[in-house]
């Protein structure tokens, strides 16, 4: 499949910046709480801190020394570790930023004006496909990697939370339209599935934006049959090259394609 990296880069141009913050020092207490759960975490004094932090920063405006840094980055490997981080954060009063693949335009998954920790879901990326049921459970740290969007590096944690548009949208709707269940950690560290959370909350987490209603651990998505042959191509045209005519034509032709 050919991906247009140019379109990916264009999207990075609409951005904003964020002011300084003063860091409070309750993170020792947080780390103490965390250490009871034997989790892997990184503080700024750890030599891996910068590379872990920078790894999924997609908006380079926030890859500077001026950008406010987290006090701790936690990289849970299981649902129960995520629960423990949330419980510690709640107990200590620590602000949490959740990061899946870091494509947030405003850096909201790894920048904050108040002292904060990052829960980075990099290690939660298991995908379980049920062929007979035509469904899959996808952990939130996975990247989309298929035409749910134009960029394969986008994370499902943020992408599905915001709706998610892609090349199959005209026929199948948004990514969010194809989600049939989810596992969410709420502010009390409780894991809720669709039945537990109820239809209102389930509706809200599919388009209402990430980091708003809780931490999504995984999504259950409907799978679609894909024809044996799929053709994907990118065509670059300017207005001078009669782009307008082309789009006009395409609008008539596209809906009639197989
Ligand atoms: C290069 C590029 C190409 C893109 N292409 C498309 C496209 O084709 N179609 C489209 O619809 N969008 C596209 N987007 C937008 C993208 O879908 C959103 O920015 C999305 O929020 C990114 O998700 P992420 O997990 O990678 O980002 P992150 O920065 O990790 O997260 C984004 C937001 O969601 C929150 N969040 C992340 N994970 C979770 C979780 N598990 N639970 C709760 N909240 C969470 C974060 O705190 C943050 O507020 C693109 C963005 C970029 C930078
Ligand atoms: C953490 O590790 C210690 C020592 O191995 C063990 O006793 C304890 O039960 C572990 N805690 C958790 C929450 O796994
Ligand atoms: C950095 O943190 C990781 C994960 O907790 C740990 O394994 C490693 O030993 C730490 N490195 C240093 C230099 O402290
Ligand atoms: C972010 O900044 C660091 C240090 O300045 C640099 O090494 C790294 O390459 C930058 N990341 C990207 C994606 O440019
Ligand atoms: C968390 O628990 C408290 C006390 O039981 C309750 O009042 C509150 O509504 C709960 N919050 C969520 C998000 O469920
Ligand atoms: C654009 O359309 C005009 C009018 O049909 C035609 O004369 C011209 O050659 C076209 N330009 C290109 C680059 O195809």
């Amino acid at each position: 499949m050919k991906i247009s990296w140019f379109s990916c880069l264009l999207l990075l141009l609409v951005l904003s910046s964020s002011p300084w913050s003063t860091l409070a020092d309750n993170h020792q207490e947080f780390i103490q709480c965390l250490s009871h759960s034997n989790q892997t975490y990184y503080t700024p004094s750890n030599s891996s801190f910068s590379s872990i932090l920078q790894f999924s920063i997609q908006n380079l405006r926030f890859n500077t020394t001026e950008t406010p840094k987290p006090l701790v980055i936690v990289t849970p490997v299981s649902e129960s570790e995520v629960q423990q981080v949330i419980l510690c954060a709640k107990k200590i009063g620590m602000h949490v930023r959740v990061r899946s693949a870091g494509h947030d335009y405003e850096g909201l998954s790894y920048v904050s004006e108040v002292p904060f920790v990052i829960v980075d879901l990099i290690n939660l990326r298991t995908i379980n496909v049920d062929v007979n049921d035509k469904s899959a459970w996808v952990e939130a740290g996975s990247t989309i990697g298929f035409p749910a969007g134009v960029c394969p590096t986008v994370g499902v944690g943020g992408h599905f939370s915001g709706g998610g548009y892609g090349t199959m949208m005209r026929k199948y709707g948004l990514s969010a339209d194809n989600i049939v269940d989810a596992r969410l950690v709420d502010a009390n560290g409780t894991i809720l599935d669709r039945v537990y959370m109820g239809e209102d909350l389930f509706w809200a987490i599919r388009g209402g934006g990430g980091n708003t209603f809780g931490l999504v651990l995984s999504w259950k998505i409907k799978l679609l049959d894909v024809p044996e042959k799929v053709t994907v191509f990118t065509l670059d045209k300017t207005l001078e090259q009669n782009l307008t005519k082309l789009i006009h034509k395409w609008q008539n032709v596209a809906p009639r394609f197989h």
Side-chain angles (χ1 to χ4, degrees), residues 23-225:
L23 304 182
D25 203 20
N26 53 348
H27 72 290
Q28 287 306 342
E29 235 182 302
F30 176 75
I31 287 171
Q32 227 164 17
C33 177
L34 209 59
S35 62
H36 295 307
S37 65
N38 304 331
Q39 295 211 38
T40 304
Y41 62 83
Y42 302 86
T43 56
S45 63
N46 187 299
S47 52
S48 303
F49 180 84
S50 291
S51 59
I52 300 277
L53 177 64
Q54 287 161 6
F55 172 72
S56 73
I57 291 183
Q58 299 290 322
N59 183 348
L60 298 186
R61 287 191 189 185
F62 300 123
N63 188 31
T64 67
T65 44
E66 291 79 30
T67 309
K69 303 286 184 292
L71 298 167
V72 187
I73 303 171
V74 194
T75 54
V77 297
S78 66
E79 291 191 338
S80 66
E81 286 196 355
V82 173
Q83 284 178 293
Q84 279 153 0
V85 183
I86 299 298
L87 287 172
C88 286
K90 188 182 177 188
K91 189 170 140 200
I92 313 299
M94 184 68 92
H95 189 62
V96 172
R97 291 285 165 148
V98 184
R99 182 162 77 171
S100 285
H103 282 61
D104 195 277
Y105 296 127
E106 295 165 289
L108 294 180
S109 53
Y110 54 88
V111 182
S112 176
E113 288 160 29
V114 299
F116 68 110
V117 299
I118 294 178
V119 180
D120 195 310
L121 303 177
I122 179 88
N123 291 321
L124 289 180
R125 46 198 312 154
T126 303
I127 299 175
N128 280 315
V129 177
D130 183 338
V131 176
N132 295 325
D133 188 44
K134 284 194 181 169
S135 68
W137 273 102
V138 180
E139 282 191 317
S142 315
T143 51
I144 57 176
F146 70 101
V150 294
C151 252
T153 55
V154 168
V156 304
H159 186 76
F160 293 179
S161 296
Y165 62 86
T167 47
M168 300 201 291
M169 181 170 68
R170 292 168 72 110
K171 192 158 186 166
Y172 297 110
L174 297 172
S175 302
D177 295 321
N178 294 284
I179 295 167
V180 290
D181 205 340
R183 287 172 69 74
L184 180 84
V185 181
D186 73 8
N188 287 338
T190 310
I191 295 180
L192 312 169
D193 65 4
R194 181 173 181 169
V195 172
Y196 260 93
M197 74 180 83
E199 289 303 305
D200 280 354
L201 183 51
F202 183 62
W203 176 80
I205 60 171
R206 293 173 300 149
N211 226 10
T212 308
F213 302 100
L215 188 156
V216 176
L217 292 165
S218 54
W219 305 101
K220 186 181 182 186
I221 56 171
K222 260 189 308 194
L223 298 178
L224 302 164
D225 286 316

